[in-house]
Amino acid sequence: MLAEHLELIEAIGLNLFFLFIFGFIGLSIYDVMNKNDVPKMGKVVVYFVLFLGCAGFIAKGIIQFIWESQGVG
């Protein structure tokens, strides 16, 4: 059973790893910005850039899923 679903387990594990990494990065950025009294505009820019990184991984996953379902990759 495990050998049959190893690729699926690896994909889910990798996605969860990225979720936790982005969460920890967000928490550490939040802590550093609050300790240093960063202005609101600076916080918005930093979180927007972090969001773009997350959105890139989400878009990559969607594109990869579409391509694999069409037989391209």
Side-chain angles (χ1 to χ4, degrees):
M1 167 110 179
L2 183 62
E4 298 169 357
H5 301 290
L6 187 61
E7 186 175 333
L8 178 63
I9 293 170
E10 287 177 355
I12 291 172
L14 185 63
N15 288 336
L16 289 175
F17 171 74
F18 283 134
L19 177 71
F20 286 122
I21 288 295
F22 278 114
F24 287 134
I25 290 171
L27 288 174
S28 64
I29 288 172
Y30 174 79
D31 185 47
V32 168
M33 286 192 297
N34 281 341
K35 287 182 180 178
N36 293 321
D37 296 326
V38 176
K40 184 153 180 89
M41 185 61 186
K43 290 180 182 181
V44 169
V45 169
V46 168
Y47 283 126
F48 180 68
V49 170
L50 182 63
F51 168 75
L52 287 178
C54 294
F57 277 108
I58 293 169
K60 176 198 162 281
I62 292 171
I63 292 169
Q64 184 179 9
F65 176 75
I66 292 171
W67 281 10
E68 287 177 357
S69 67
Q70 292 178 351
V72 176

Short mmCIF file of all heavy atoms in Angstrom, two decimals:
data_model
loop_
_atom_site.label_atom_id
_atom_site.label_comp_id
_atom_site.label_asym_id
_atom_site.label_seq_id
_atom_site.Cartn_x
_atom_site.Cartn_y
_atom_site.Cartn_z
N MET A 1 0.83 -1.19 0.00
CA MET A 1 0.00 0.00 0.00
C MET A 1 0.87 1.25 0.00
O MET A 1 0.63 2.18 -0.75
CB MET A 1 -0.91 -0.03 1.22
CG MET A 1 -1.59 1.27 1.50
SD MET A 1 -3.32 1.16 1.16
CE MET A 1 -3.82 2.78 1.59
N LEU A 2 1.88 1.28 0.84
CA LEU A 2 2.72 2.45 0.94
C LEU A 2 3.50 2.68 -0.36
O LEU A 2 3.61 3.82 -0.82
CB LEU A 2 3.68 2.33 2.11
CG LEU A 2 4.58 3.54 2.38
CD1 LEU A 2 3.73 4.75 2.71
CD2 LEU A 2 5.54 3.25 3.48
N ALA A 3 4.01 1.63 -0.95
CA ALA A 3 4.79 1.77 -2.18
C ALA A 3 3.92 2.27 -3.33
O ALA A 3 4.40 2.99 -4.20
CB ALA A 3 5.42 0.44 -2.54
N GLU A 4 2.64 1.90 -3.33
CA GLU A 4 1.74 2.33 -4.40
C GLU A 4 1.45 3.82 -4.34
O GLU A 4 1.24 4.46 -5.36
CB GLU A 4 0.43 1.55 -4.31
CG GLU A 4 0.58 0.06 -4.50
CD GLU A 4 -0.69 -0.68 -4.15
OE1 GLU A 4 -1.66 -0.05 -3.71
OE2 GLU A 4 -0.69 -1.91 -4.29
N HIS A 5 1.43 4.38 -3.15
CA HIS A 5 1.04 5.78 -2.98
C HIS A 5 2.20 6.66 -2.54
O HIS A 5 1.98 7.76 -2.04
CB HIS A 5 -0.08 5.87 -1.94
CG HIS A 5 -1.30 5.07 -2.31
ND1 HIS A 5 -2.13 5.43 -3.35
CD2 HIS A 5 -1.80 3.94 -1.78
CE1 HIS A 5 -3.10 4.55 -3.44
NE2 HIS A 5 -2.93 3.62 -2.50
N LEU A 6 3.41 6.20 -2.75
CA LEU A 6 4.57 6.93 -2.29
C LEU A 6 4.68 8.31 -2.95
O LEU A 6 4.99 9.30 -2.28
CB LEU A 6 5.85 6.12 -2.54
CG LEU A 6 7.12 6.69 -1.97
CD1 LEU A 6 7.00 6.79 -0.45
CD2 LEU A 6 8.31 5.85 -2.36
N GLU A 7 4.41 8.40 -4.24
CA GLU A 7 4.51 9.68 -4.94
C GLU A 7 3.48 10.68 -4.41
O GLU A 7 3.79 11.86 -4.21
CB GLU A 7 4.31 9.47 -6.44
CG GLU A 7 4.54 10.72 -7.25
CD GLU A 7 4.45 10.46 -8.74
OE1 GLU A 7 4.71 9.33 -9.17
OE2 GLU A 7 4.11 11.40 -9.46
N LEU A 8 2.28 10.22 -4.14
CA LEU A 8 1.24 11.09 -3.59
C LEU A 8 1.61 11.56 -2.18
O LEU A 8 1.46 12.73 -1.85
CB LEU A 8 -0.11 10.36 -3.55
CG LEU A 8 -1.28 11.13 -2.95
CD1 LEU A 8 -1.58 12.37 -3.77
CD2 LEU A 8 -2.49 10.22 -2.85
N ILE A 9 2.14 10.66 -1.38
CA ILE A 9 2.55 11.02 -0.01
C ILE A 9 3.68 12.04 -0.05
O ILE A 9 3.69 13.01 0.72
CB ILE A 9 2.96 9.76 0.77
CG1 ILE A 9 1.74 8.86 1.00
CG2 ILE A 9 3.62 10.11 2.09
CD1 ILE A 9 2.08 7.49 1.53
N GLU A 10 4.64 11.85 -0.96
CA GLU A 10 5.74 12.80 -1.10
C GLU A 10 5.23 14.18 -1.52
O GLU A 10 5.69 15.20 -1.01
CB GLU A 10 6.75 12.30 -2.11
CG GLU A 10 7.59 11.16 -1.62
CD GLU A 10 8.54 10.64 -2.68
OE1 GLU A 10 8.48 11.12 -3.84
OE2 GLU A 10 9.35 9.76 -2.36
N ALA A 11 4.30 14.23 -2.45
CA ALA A 11 3.76 15.51 -2.92
C ALA A 11 3.01 16.23 -1.81
O ALA A 11 3.18 17.45 -1.63
CB ALA A 11 2.84 15.28 -4.13
N ILE A 12 2.21 15.50 -1.07
CA ILE A 12 1.47 16.11 0.05
C ILE A 12 2.44 16.59 1.12
O ILE A 12 2.30 17.71 1.64
CB ILE A 12 0.45 15.12 0.63
CG1 ILE A 12 -0.67 14.87 -0.38
CG2 ILE A 12 -0.13 15.63 1.94
CD1 ILE A 12 -1.62 13.76 0.00
N GLY A 13 3.44 15.79 1.43
CA GLY A 13 4.43 16.19 2.43
C GLY A 13 5.20 17.43 2.01
O GLY A 13 5.46 18.32 2.83
N LEU A 14 5.58 17.51 0.74
CA LEU A 14 6.31 18.68 0.26
C LEU A 14 5.44 19.93 0.32
O LEU A 14 5.90 21.01 0.73
CB LEU A 14 6.79 18.44 -1.18
CG LEU A 14 7.67 19.52 -1.78
CD1 LEU A 14 8.97 19.65 -0.99
CD2 LEU A 14 7.98 19.20 -3.23
N ASN A 15 4.18 19.80 -0.06
CA ASN A 15 3.28 20.96 0.02
C ASN A 15 3.06 21.41 1.45
O ASN A 15 3.03 22.61 1.73
CB ASN A 15 1.94 20.63 -0.64
CG ASN A 15 2.06 20.54 -2.15
OD1 ASN A 15 2.95 21.12 -2.75
ND2 ASN A 15 1.17 19.78 -2.76
N LEU A 16 2.93 20.48 2.38
CA LEU A 16 2.79 20.85 3.79
C LEU A 16 4.07 21.49 4.32
O LEU A 16 4.01 22.44 5.11
CB LEU A 16 2.43 19.62 4.62
CG LEU A 16 1.01 19.08 4.44
CD1 LEU A 16 0.84 17.79 5.23
CD2 LEU A 16 -0.01 20.11 4.85
N PHE A 17 5.21 21.00 3.86
CA PHE A 17 6.49 21.60 4.25
C PHE A 17 6.54 23.05 3.81
O PHE A 17 6.93 23.94 4.59
CB PHE A 17 7.64 20.80 3.64
CG PHE A 17 8.98 21.45 3.81
CD1 PHE A 17 9.61 21.43 5.05
CD2 PHE A 17 9.61 22.06 2.75
CE1 PHE A 17 10.85 22.03 5.21
CE2 PHE A 17 10.84 22.66 2.90
CZ PHE A 17 11.46 22.65 4.13
N PHE A 18 6.17 23.33 2.55
CA PHE A 18 6.16 24.71 2.07
C PHE A 18 5.17 25.57 2.85
O PHE A 18 5.44 26.73 3.14
CB PHE A 18 5.85 24.77 0.57
CG PHE A 18 7.01 24.37 -0.30
CD1 PHE A 18 6.81 23.50 -1.35
CD2 PHE A 18 8.27 24.87 -0.07
CE1 PHE A 18 7.88 23.13 -2.16
CE2 PHE A 18 9.34 24.51 -0.86
CZ PHE A 18 9.14 23.63 -1.91
N LEU A 19 4.04 25.02 3.20
CA LEU A 19 3.05 25.75 4.00
C LEU A 19 3.64 26.15 5.35
O LEU A 19 3.52 27.31 5.77
CB LEU A 19 1.80 24.90 4.19
CG LEU A 19 0.71 25.49 5.06
CD1 LEU A 19 0.03 26.64 4.33
CD2 LEU A 19 -0.29 24.42 5.44
N PHE A 20 4.29 25.21 6.02
CA PHE A 20 4.88 25.52 7.32
C PHE A 20 6.04 26.51 7.19
O PHE A 20 6.19 27.41 8.02
CB PHE A 20 5.35 24.24 8.01
CG PHE A 20 4.23 23.41 8.56
CD1 PHE A 20 4.06 22.10 8.16
CD2 PHE A 20 3.32 23.94 9.46
CE1 PHE A 20 3.02 21.33 8.66
CE2 PHE A 20 2.28 23.18 9.97
CZ PHE A 20 2.13 21.88 9.56
N ILE A 21 6.85 26.35 6.15
CA ILE A 21 7.98 27.27 5.96
C ILE A 21 7.48 28.69 5.75
O ILE A 21 7.99 29.64 6.36
CB ILE A 21 8.86 26.81 4.78
CG1 ILE A 21 9.65 25.57 5.16
CG2 ILE A 21 9.81 27.92 4.33
CD1 ILE A 21 10.66 25.79 6.26
N PHE A 22 6.49 28.88 4.87
CA PHE A 22 5.95 30.21 4.66
C PHE A 22 5.28 30.75 5.92
O PHE A 22 5.35 31.94 6.21
CB PHE A 22 4.97 30.24 3.48
CG PHE A 22 5.65 30.34 2.15
CD1 PHE A 22 5.59 29.31 1.25
CD2 PHE A 22 6.34 31.48 1.80
CE1 PHE A 22 6.21 29.39 0.02
CE2 PHE A 22 6.98 31.59 0.58
CZ PHE A 22 6.91 30.54 -0.31
N GLY A 23 4.65 29.88 6.69
CA GLY A 23 4.06 30.31 7.96
C GLY A 23 5.12 30.81 8.94
O GLY A 23 4.97 31.87 9.56
N PHE A 24 6.21 30.04 9.07
CA PHE A 24 7.28 30.44 9.98
C PHE A 24 7.97 31.71 9.49
O PHE A 24 8.35 32.57 10.29
CB PHE A 24 8.30 29.32 10.15
CG PHE A 24 7.80 28.19 10.98
CD1 PHE A 24 8.00 26.88 10.58
CD2 PHE A 24 7.13 28.41 12.17
CE1 PHE A 24 7.54 25.83 11.35
CE2 PHE A 24 6.66 27.37 12.95
CZ PHE A 24 6.86 26.07 12.54
N ILE A 25 8.15 31.85 8.19
CA ILE A 25 8.74 33.07 7.65
C ILE A 25 7.84 34.26 7.97
O ILE A 25 8.31 35.33 8.39
CB ILE A 25 8.98 32.95 6.13
CG1 ILE A 25 10.11 31.97 5.84
CG2 ILE A 25 9.30 34.31 5.51
CD1 ILE A 25 10.26 31.62 4.38
N GLY A 26 6.54 34.09 7.78
CA GLY A 26 5.60 35.17 8.09
C GLY A 26 5.62 35.54 9.56
O GLY A 26 5.60 36.74 9.91
N LEU A 27 5.68 34.55 10.43
CA LEU A 27 5.73 34.83 11.87
C LEU A 27 7.02 35.54 12.27
O LEU A 27 7.01 36.46 13.09
CB LEU A 27 5.56 33.54 12.67
CG LEU A 27 4.17 32.93 12.65
CD1 LEU A 27 4.18 31.58 13.36
CD2 LEU A 27 3.16 33.86 13.30
N SER A 28 8.14 35.12 11.69
CA SER A 28 9.40 35.78 12.03
C SER A 28 9.44 37.20 11.49
O SER A 28 9.94 38.11 12.17
CB SER A 28 10.58 34.96 11.51
OG SER A 28 10.57 34.89 10.11
N ILE A 29 8.92 37.42 10.29
CA ILE A 29 8.86 38.78 9.75
C ILE A 29 7.94 39.64 10.61
O ILE A 29 8.27 40.79 10.91
CB ILE A 29 8.38 38.74 8.28
CG1 ILE A 29 9.48 38.18 7.39
CG2 ILE A 29 7.99 40.13 7.80
CD1 ILE A 29 9.04 37.93 5.97
N TYR A 30 6.83 39.10 11.03
CA TYR A 30 5.90 39.83 11.90
C TYR A 30 6.59 40.25 13.20
O TYR A 30 6.48 41.39 13.64
CB TYR A 30 4.68 38.96 12.19
CG TYR A 30 3.73 39.54 13.20
CD1 TYR A 30 2.83 40.52 12.83
CD2 TYR A 30 3.74 39.11 14.52
CE1 TYR A 30 1.95 41.07 13.75
CE2 TYR A 30 2.87 39.63 15.45
CZ TYR A 30 1.97 40.62 15.06
OH TYR A 30 1.11 41.15 15.99
N ASP A 31 7.34 39.33 13.79
CA ASP A 31 8.03 39.61 15.05
C ASP A 31 9.09 40.70 14.86
O ASP A 31 9.17 41.63 15.66
CB ASP A 31 8.66 38.34 15.58
CG ASP A 31 9.30 38.52 16.94
OD1 ASP A 31 8.63 39.12 17.81
OD2 ASP A 31 10.44 38.07 17.13
N VAL A 32 9.89 40.60 13.82
CA VAL A 32 10.95 41.58 13.57
C VAL A 32 10.35 42.95 13.29
O VAL A 32 10.84 43.97 13.80
CB VAL A 32 11.85 41.12 12.41
CG1 VAL A 32 12.77 42.23 11.94
CG2 VAL A 32 12.65 39.90 12.81
N MET A 33 9.28 43.00 12.51
CA MET A 33 8.68 44.30 12.19
C MET A 33 8.05 44.95 13.42
O MET A 33 8.09 46.16 13.57
CB MET A 33 7.66 44.15 11.06
CG MET A 33 8.31 43.94 9.72
SD MET A 33 7.21 44.10 8.32
CE MET A 33 6.06 42.80 8.60
N ASN A 34 7.45 44.16 14.30
CA ASN A 34 6.85 44.74 15.50
C ASN A 34 7.90 45.23 16.49
O ASN A 34 7.69 46.23 17.17
CB ASN A 34 5.91 43.74 16.16
CG ASN A 34 4.58 43.69 15.47
OD1 ASN A 34 4.21 44.59 14.73
ND2 ASN A 34 3.84 42.63 15.71
N LYS A 35 9.02 44.52 16.59
CA LYS A 35 10.08 44.95 17.51
C LYS A 35 10.78 46.21 17.03
O LYS A 35 11.31 46.96 17.83
CB LYS A 35 11.10 43.83 17.69
CG LYS A 35 10.60 42.69 18.53
CD LYS A 35 11.68 41.64 18.73
CE LYS A 35 11.12 40.50 19.59
NZ LYS A 35 12.13 39.44 19.76
N ASN A 36 10.78 46.45 15.71
CA ASN A 36 11.50 47.60 15.15
C ASN A 36 10.58 48.74 14.75
O ASN A 36 11.03 49.68 14.10
CB ASN A 36 12.35 47.16 13.96
CG ASN A 36 13.47 46.24 14.38
OD1 ASN A 36 14.08 46.45 15.42
ND2 ASN A 36 13.73 45.22 13.59
N ASP A 37 9.33 48.70 15.10
CA ASP A 37 8.35 49.76 14.80
C ASP A 37 8.38 50.18 13.32
O ASP A 37 8.57 51.33 12.98
CB ASP A 37 8.60 50.99 15.69
CG ASP A 37 8.37 50.66 17.15
OD1 ASP A 37 7.48 49.84 17.43
OD2 ASP A 37 9.07 51.23 18.01
N VAL A 38 8.19 49.23 12.45
CA VAL A 38 8.17 49.47 11.01
C VAL A 38 6.85 50.17 10.66
O VAL A 38 5.79 49.81 11.17
CB VAL A 38 8.30 48.14 10.24
CG1 VAL A 38 8.17 48.34 8.75
CG2 VAL A 38 9.61 47.47 10.57
N PRO A 39 6.90 51.20 9.79
CA PRO A 39 5.65 51.88 9.39
C PRO A 39 4.69 50.94 8.67
O PRO A 39 5.09 49.90 8.13
CB PRO A 39 6.12 52.98 8.44
CG PRO A 39 7.59 53.04 8.56
CD PRO A 39 8.07 51.80 9.20
N LYS A 40 3.43 51.33 8.64
CA LYS A 40 2.39 50.48 8.06
C LYS A 40 2.66 50.19 6.58
O LYS A 40 2.45 49.07 6.13
CB LYS A 40 1.03 51.15 8.23
CG LYS A 40 -0.11 50.28 7.74
CD LYS A 40 -1.38 50.61 8.45
CE LYS A 40 -2.51 49.76 7.96
NZ LYS A 40 -2.63 48.52 8.69
N MET A 41 3.11 51.18 5.84
CA MET A 41 3.39 50.97 4.41
C MET A 41 4.50 49.93 4.22
O MET A 41 4.44 49.09 3.31
CB MET A 41 3.79 52.30 3.75
CG MET A 41 3.97 52.20 2.27
SD MET A 41 2.45 51.68 1.48
CE MET A 41 2.98 51.47 -0.17
N GLY A 42 5.51 49.95 5.06
CA GLY A 42 6.58 48.97 4.99
C GLY A 42 6.07 47.56 5.26
O GLY A 42 6.48 46.61 4.61
N LYS A 43 5.16 47.43 6.24
CA LYS A 43 4.58 46.12 6.53
C LYS A 43 3.76 45.61 5.36
O LYS A 43 3.82 44.42 5.03
CB LYS A 43 3.70 46.21 7.78
CG LYS A 43 4.47 46.41 9.06
CD LYS A 43 3.52 46.49 10.24
CE LYS A 43 4.29 46.74 11.53
NZ LYS A 43 3.42 46.80 12.70
N VAL A 44 3.01 46.51 4.73
CA VAL A 44 2.19 46.11 3.58
C VAL A 44 3.08 45.60 2.45
O VAL A 44 2.79 44.57 1.85
CB VAL A 44 1.31 47.29 3.11
CG1 VAL A 44 0.66 47.01 1.77
CG2 VAL A 44 0.25 47.62 4.15
N VAL A 45 4.17 46.31 2.18
CA VAL A 45 5.07 45.90 1.10
C VAL A 45 5.70 44.54 1.42
O VAL A 45 5.76 43.65 0.55
CB VAL A 45 6.16 46.97 0.87
CG1 VAL A 45 7.25 46.45 -0.05
CG2 VAL A 45 5.55 48.24 0.31
N VAL A 46 6.16 44.35 2.64
CA VAL A 46 6.81 43.09 3.02
C VAL A 46 5.83 41.92 2.91
O VAL A 46 6.15 40.86 2.37
CB VAL A 46 7.41 43.19 4.43
CG1 VAL A 46 7.82 41.82 4.93
CG2 VAL A 46 8.58 44.15 4.44
N TYR A 47 4.62 42.11 3.43
CA TYR A 47 3.64 41.02 3.36
C TYR A 47 3.18 40.77 1.92
O TYR A 47 2.88 39.65 1.55
CB TYR A 47 2.44 41.30 4.26
CG TYR A 47 2.74 41.04 5.71
CD1 TYR A 47 2.54 42.02 6.68
CD2 TYR A 47 3.24 39.82 6.13
CE1 TYR A 47 2.82 41.78 8.01
CE2 TYR A 47 3.53 39.58 7.46
CZ TYR A 47 3.31 40.57 8.39
OH TYR A 47 3.60 40.33 9.71
N PHE A 48 3.14 41.81 1.09
CA PHE A 48 2.78 41.63 -0.31
C PHE A 48 3.83 40.78 -1.02
O PHE A 48 3.49 39.88 -1.80
CB PHE A 48 2.63 42.99 -1.01
CG PHE A 48 2.26 42.88 -2.45
CD1 PHE A 48 1.02 42.39 -2.84
CD2 PHE A 48 3.16 43.27 -3.43
CE1 PHE A 48 0.68 42.29 -4.18
CE2 PHE A 48 2.83 43.16 -4.77
CZ PHE A 48 1.59 42.68 -5.14
N VAL A 49 5.10 41.04 -0.75
CA VAL A 49 6.18 40.26 -1.36
C VAL A 49 6.11 38.81 -0.88
O VAL A 49 6.29 37.87 -1.67
CB VAL A 49 7.54 40.89 -1.06
CG1 VAL A 49 8.68 39.98 -1.46
CG2 VAL A 49 7.67 42.23 -1.75
N LEU A 50 5.84 38.60 0.41
CA LEU A 50 5.70 37.24 0.93
C LEU A 50 4.51 36.55 0.26
O LEU A 50 4.59 35.37 -0.10
CB LEU A 50 5.52 37.26 2.44
CG LEU A 50 5.40 35.91 3.14
CD1 LEU A 50 6.68 35.10 2.95
CD2 LEU A 50 5.11 36.10 4.62
N PHE A 51 3.41 37.28 0.08
CA PHE A 51 2.25 36.72 -0.60
C PHE A 51 2.57 36.33 -2.04
O PHE A 51 2.13 35.29 -2.53
CB PHE A 51 1.08 37.71 -0.59
CG PHE A 51 -0.04 37.32 -1.49
CD1 PHE A 51 -0.90 36.30 -1.14
CD2 PHE A 51 -0.22 37.95 -2.71
CE1 PHE A 51 -1.93 35.92 -1.98
CE2 PHE A 51 -1.25 37.58 -3.55
CZ PHE A 51 -2.11 36.57 -3.19
N LEU A 52 3.36 37.16 -2.73
CA LEU A 52 3.74 36.84 -4.11
C LEU A 52 4.54 35.54 -4.17
O LEU A 52 4.38 34.75 -5.10
CB LEU A 52 4.53 37.98 -4.74
CG LEU A 52 3.74 39.22 -5.11
CD1 LEU A 52 4.68 40.29 -5.68
CD2 LEU A 52 2.64 38.91 -6.11
N GLY A 53 5.41 35.32 -3.18
CA GLY A 53 6.15 34.06 -3.13
C GLY A 53 5.22 32.88 -2.96
O GLY A 53 5.36 31.86 -3.64
N CYS A 54 4.25 33.01 -2.07
CA CYS A 54 3.27 31.93 -1.87
C CYS A 54 2.43 31.72 -3.12
O CYS A 54 2.16 30.59 -3.51
CB CYS A 54 2.35 32.26 -0.69
SG CYS A 54 3.18 32.31 0.89
N ALA A 55 2.01 32.82 -3.73
CA ALA A 55 1.19 32.72 -4.93
C ALA A 55 1.95 32.05 -6.07
O ALA A 55 1.36 31.32 -6.87
CB ALA A 55 0.71 34.11 -5.37
N GLY A 56 3.25 32.26 -6.14
CA GLY A 56 4.08 31.60 -7.15
C GLY A 56 4.07 30.09 -6.99
O GLY A 56 3.94 29.36 -7.97
N PHE A 57 4.19 29.63 -5.75
CA PHE A 57 4.15 28.18 -5.51
C PHE A 57 2.77 27.62 -5.80
O PHE A 57 2.64 26.51 -6.32
CB PHE A 57 4.57 27.86 -4.08
CG PHE A 57 6.05 27.80 -3.89
CD1 PHE A 57 6.71 28.80 -3.21
CD2 PHE A 57 6.78 26.75 -4.40
CE1 PHE A 57 8.08 28.75 -3.04
CE2 PHE A 57 8.15 26.69 -4.25
CZ PHE A 57 8.80 27.69 -3.56
N ILE A 58 1.73 28.36 -5.48
CA ILE A 58 0.36 27.90 -5.76
C ILE A 58 0.14 27.83 -7.27
O ILE A 58 -0.41 26.85 -7.79
CB ILE A 58 -0.67 28.81 -5.08
CG1 ILE A 58 -0.58 28.65 -3.55
CG2 ILE A 58 -2.08 28.51 -5.56
CD1 ILE A 58 -1.36 29.67 -2.78
N ALA A 59 0.58 28.87 -7.99
CA ALA A 59 0.43 28.87 -9.45
C ALA A 59 1.21 27.73 -10.08
O ALA A 59 0.74 27.09 -11.01
CB ALA A 59 0.90 30.22 -10.00
N LYS A 60 2.43 27.47 -9.56
CA LYS A 60 3.23 26.36 -10.08
C LYS A 60 2.50 25.04 -9.89
O LYS A 60 2.47 24.20 -10.79
CB LYS A 60 4.57 26.30 -9.35
CG LYS A 60 5.43 25.12 -9.74
CD LYS A 60 6.48 24.89 -8.67
CE LYS A 60 7.09 23.53 -8.74
NZ LYS A 60 6.30 22.48 -8.15
N GLY A 61 1.88 24.86 -8.73
CA GLY A 61 1.13 23.62 -8.48
C GLY A 61 -0.05 23.47 -9.40
O GLY A 61 -0.32 22.37 -9.90
N ILE A 62 -0.77 24.57 -9.63
CA ILE A 62 -1.94 24.52 -10.52
C ILE A 62 -1.50 24.22 -11.95
O ILE A 62 -2.10 23.37 -12.64
CB ILE A 62 -2.73 25.83 -10.43
CG1 ILE A 62 -3.38 25.95 -9.05
CG2 ILE A 62 -3.78 25.92 -11.53
CD1 ILE A 62 -4.01 27.30 -8.78
N ILE A 63 -0.46 24.91 -12.41
CA ILE A 63 0.03 24.69 -13.78
C ILE A 63 0.53 23.26 -13.94
O ILE A 63 0.25 22.59 -14.95
CB ILE A 63 1.13 25.71 -14.13
CG1 ILE A 63 0.53 27.11 -14.23
CG2 ILE A 63 1.85 25.33 -15.41
CD1 ILE A 63 1.55 28.21 -14.30
N GLN A 64 1.26 22.77 -12.94
CA GLN A 64 1.77 21.40 -13.00
C GLN A 64 0.62 20.40 -13.05
O GLN A 64 0.66 19.43 -13.82
CB GLN A 64 2.66 21.14 -11.79
CG GLN A 64 3.31 19.78 -11.79
CD GLN A 64 4.21 19.60 -10.57
OE1 GLN A 64 4.22 20.41 -9.65
NE2 GLN A 64 4.97 18.53 -10.57
N PHE A 65 -0.41 20.62 -12.26
CA PHE A 65 -1.57 19.72 -12.26
C PHE A 65 -2.27 19.72 -13.61
O PHE A 65 -2.63 18.66 -14.14
CB PHE A 65 -2.55 20.14 -11.16
CG PHE A 65 -3.81 19.33 -11.15
CD1 PHE A 65 -3.82 18.04 -10.67
CD2 PHE A 65 -5.00 19.87 -11.65
CE1 PHE A 65 -4.99 17.28 -10.67
CE2 PHE A 65 -6.16 19.14 -11.65
CZ PHE A 65 -6.17 17.82 -11.17
N ILE A 66 -2.46 20.91 -14.19
CA ILE A 66 -3.13 21.01 -15.50
C ILE A 66 -2.29 20.32 -16.59
O ILE A 66 -2.83 19.56 -17.40
CB ILE A 66 -3.41 22.48 -15.86
CG1 ILE A 66 -4.47 23.05 -14.90
CG2 ILE A 66 -3.84 22.63 -17.31
CD1 ILE A 66 -4.66 24.55 -15.03
N TRP A 67 -0.99 20.57 -16.60
CA TRP A 67 -0.14 19.97 -17.61
C TRP A 67 -0.10 18.45 -17.49
O TRP A 67 -0.15 17.74 -18.49
CB TRP A 67 1.27 20.52 -17.52
CG TRP A 67 1.43 21.88 -18.15
CD1 TRP A 67 0.43 22.69 -18.58
CD2 TRP A 67 2.64 22.56 -18.42
NE1 TRP A 67 0.95 23.85 -19.08
CE2 TRP A 67 2.32 23.79 -18.99
CE3 TRP A 67 3.97 22.24 -18.18
CZ2 TRP A 67 3.29 24.70 -19.37
CZ3 TRP A 67 4.92 23.17 -18.56
CH2 TRP A 67 4.58 24.38 -19.15
N GLU A 68 -0.02 17.96 -16.25
CA GLU A 68 0.03 16.51 -16.08
C GLU A 68 -1.30 15.85 -16.42
O GLU A 68 -1.33 14.72 -16.93
CB GLU A 68 0.43 16.16 -14.65
CG GLU A 68 1.89 16.42 -14.36
CD GLU A 68 2.26 16.16 -12.92
OE1 GLU A 68 1.36 15.81 -12.11
OE2 GLU A 68 3.46 16.30 -12.59
N SER A 69 -2.41 16.55 -16.19
CA SER A 69 -3.71 15.96 -16.54
C SER A 69 -3.94 15.96 -18.05
O SER A 69 -4.72 15.16 -18.54
CB SER A 69 -4.83 16.72 -15.83
OG SER A 69 -4.93 18.03 -16.32
N GLN A 70 -3.23 16.85 -18.77
CA GLN A 70 -3.37 16.89 -20.24
C GLN A 70 -2.29 16.04 -20.92
O GLN A 70 -2.28 15.94 -22.14
CB GLN A 70 -3.28 18.33 -20.74
CG GLN A 70 -4.45 19.17 -20.32
CD GLN A 70 -4.30 20.61 -20.78
OE1 GLN A 70 -3.26 21.02 -21.27
NE2 GLN A 70 -5.37 21.38 -20.62
N GLY A 71 -1.38 15.48 -20.15
CA GLY A 71 -0.34 14.64 -20.72
C GLY A 71 0.85 15.39 -21.25
O GLY A 71 1.66 14.82 -21.97
N VAL A 72 0.98 16.68 -20.91
CA VAL A 72 2.11 17.47 -21.42
C VAL A 72 3.39 17.10 -20.68
O VAL A 72 4.44 16.94 -21.29
CB VAL A 72 1.82 18.99 -21.27
CG1 VAL A 72 3.03 19.81 -21.70
CG2 VAL A 72 0.60 19.36 -22.09
N GLY A 73 3.35 17.01 -19.35
CA GLY A 73 4.56 16.78 -18.58
C GLY A 73 4.65 15.42 -18.16
O GLY A 73 4.98 14.69 -17.44
#
